[in-house]
Amino acid sequence: MTGGPVDPARRAHYDSAAFRTRAVHAGQYPEQHAGALSVPVHFSSTFERSVVLDGGWDYSRIANPTRATLEQCLTSLEGGAGATVTASGMAATTTTVLATCAAGSHVVLPDSTYGGTWDLFTEVLSRWGLTWTVVDMADLDAVAAAVTDRTALVWVETPSNPRLRITDIAAVADIAHRLGALVAVDSTFASPYLQQPLSLGADLVVHSTTKYLGGHSDVTGGAVISGTPVTAELIARTSGIVGGIAGPLDAWLVVRGIKTLPVRMRQVCSSAMRIAEFLAEHPVVSAVHYPGLPTHPHHDLAKRQMTDFGGVVSFELRGTRDDAAAVCARTGLFTLAVSLGSVESLIQHPAQMTHCTTGGTSVAVPESLVRLSIGLEDPDDLLADLDAALRTGATLAG
């Protein structure tokens, strides 16, 4: 038995369904794969074809059936015109910048930028003549002053890593578009379930699929979803030329992870809120960064722009860099590790880990800041674990 073409009525039914239904079905059509409910992993690097390619597949650096399934699913979930999946989140970021910028282009960056993105600009792209201006994206006047007729791209990270700052995507897009700049949003912390930047005016959405989309700490990947066919083709073409594409097994793992994304996100958001409220009352904690708290400076914006507040919480201690590192080392259920968005809860010290290269720069993070990624464990167990780790360091309170 061989697979057949996708029934157009069935495709239309999937495409018009609710988010949770599309997370399970979008891009995945059993009749196309001999009736298999699980999409096959197409390990082939090359495919039989005619001399002049007229449909079908060619070479897996350019396109692969398993990768295409993930791309169709992400396109549907983000409401885009096309998606390209890559070997990592940083490959997605690099592809986006290379596709939209030329030598001498100007980029606007947020002052709460992921350390890997900062490294890309300062250590690699600076050698290619790109320039950038760092601004507080919450200050729309500062954003407007930074965007010039040389600006090719405004890079937005919301919620930001690790201080959970929220950027008004629609307002920034309006400013950028007046001078012809594109807007790319790193929406990794939100996932498509909590936020859809294209609907707010962004041109491109970037994800590290390693995080919430994969969801199980067993895959590394990235994705760029485009708002128009023109940008979708530009990103796909650039990715195919550069070659930083996702392998078929990695793509399959993300497809599988997405099926449970809505369920996982609801649980981690609920637990994260409880943990943020607990930390806000703890005597050794000086500040909590979580947009779900009414005290967060961007709480109202987050309520308008997101459907919930996410599974990452960060907090600052009444103490030093060493105190923060010691708290990270004292937890039992929270694992000391980089990354986020998985089924297990993680804890890390950004100043010495994900943002270790930003110290002394305009995007540096507080040295006493600790970042939590909330997983699927019982929230009572997580609260007890945190409380024990913080109380062991009760001298932090002075």
Side-chain angles (χ1 to χ4, degrees):
M1 179 178 180
T2 59
V6 178
D7 181 347
R10 187 170 198 172
R11 182 192 293 270
H13 179 70
Y14 287 160
D15 290 348
S16 63
F19 185 99
R20 284 180 290 174
T21 302
R22 285 182 285 128
V24 174
H25 293 289
Q28 300 159 68
Y29 310 106
E31 70 269 30
Q32 194 172 24
H33 303 292
L37 293 185
S38 178
V39 173
V41 184
H42 293 272
F43 285 113
S44 183
S45 60
T46 191
F47 303 84
E48 182 181 17
R49 51 163 287 182
S50 60
V51 174
V52 178
L53 184 63
D54 184 17
W57 306 97
D58 178 25
Y59 186 55
S60 275
R61 173 166 56 82
I62 305 302
N64 174 279
T66 310
R67 197 161 74 238
T69 294
L70 175 56
E71 290 168 343
Q72 291 170 30
C73 183
L74 290 173
T75 298
S76 176
L77 297 183
E78 286 285 8
T84 296
V85 295
T86 60
S88 67
M90 284 308 304
T93 298
T94 302
T95 298
T96 300
V97 176
L98 291 178
T100 59
C101 297
S105 291
H106 175 256
V107 178
V108 178
L109 293 174
D111 64 353
S112 186
T113 297
Y114 169 55
T117 303
W118 183 250
D119 293 343
L120 174 66
F121 277 87
T122 59
E123 297 184 28
V124 179
L125 298 176
S126 60
R127 302 201 304 266
W128 296 87
L130 262 69
T131 61
W132 58 89
T133 301
V134 175
V135 299
D136 177 358
M137 288 277 174
D139 184 346
L140 296 177
D141 289 337
V143 175
V147 178
T148 73
D149 57 7
R150 288 183 50 248
T151 304
L153 184 67
V154 177
W155 186 265
V156 175
E157 187 179 325
T158 184
S160 70
N161 183 4
R163 284 179 281 183
L164 286 301
R165 294 178 177 175
I166 306 298
T167 297
D168 189 330
I169 297 171
V172 170
D174 182 61
I175 292 169
H177 292 162
R178 290 177 202 167
L179 288 174
L182 296 177
V183 174
V185 177
D186 183 339
S187 193
T188 296
F189 271 35
S191 87
Y193 187 64
L194 302 184
Q195 176 175 273
Q196 296 183 340
L198 298 178
S199 69
L200 298 171
D203 303 286
L204 298 154
V205 184
V206 175
H207 289 283
S208 170
T209 60
T210 310
K211 312 303 193 298
Y212 287 110
L213 290 164
H216 293 79
S217 295
D218 57 7
V219 62
T220 301
V224 188
I225 302 92
S226 303
T228 68
V230 172
T231 54
E233 174 58 29
L234 179 63
I235 294 293
R237 179 69 175 159
T238 302
S239 178
I241 292 170
V242 173
I245 49 89
L249 180 57
D250 292 339
W252 183 87
L253 287 167
V254 178
V255 168
R256 185 180 66 170
I258 288 174
K259 292 177 186 293
T260 60
L261 176 67
V263 178
R264 289 185 285 107
M265 293 306 295
R266 290 198 298 273
Q267 179 61 55
V268 301
C269 288
S270 174
S271 296
M273 179 62 83
R274 286 190 59 190
I275 288 169
E277 292 171 340
F278 160 78
L279 290 168
E281 300 298 324
H282 205 286
V284 305
V285 174
S286 62
V288 179
H289 304 285
Y290 186 67
L293 294 176
T295 53
H296 190 284
H298 310 143
H299 174 68
D300 289 339
L301 173 60
K303 285 171 62 178
R304 296 196 308 270
Q305 192 166 273
M306 303 171 67
T307 58
D308 209 328
F309 303 108
V312 179
V313 180
S314 66
F315 62 95
E316 297 175 48
L317 293 168
R318 302 182 190 278
T320 66
R321 172 190 180 102
D322 290 341
D323 292 324
V327 167
C328 291
R330 281 196 292 263
T331 55
L333 286 179
F334 283 89
T335 301
L336 178 57
V338 297
S339 199
L340 59 106
S342 191
V343 293
E344 64 279 323
S345 293
L346 304 178
I347 188 169
Q348 66 124 331
H349 185 215
Q352 294 187 82
M353 298 170 75
T354 54
H355 291 69
C356 62
T357 61
T358 67
T361 73
S362 55
V363 300
V365 300
E367 294 200 334
S368 68
L369 184 142
V370 174
R371 192 190 77 186
L372 306 174
S373 172
I374 310 305
L376 299 184
E377 301 93 342
D378 189 294
D380 289 334
D381 291 334
L382 295 176
L383 287 169
D385 188 38
L386 275 177
D387 191 41
L390 291 168
R391 288 184 183 280
T392 304
T395 55
L396 294 174

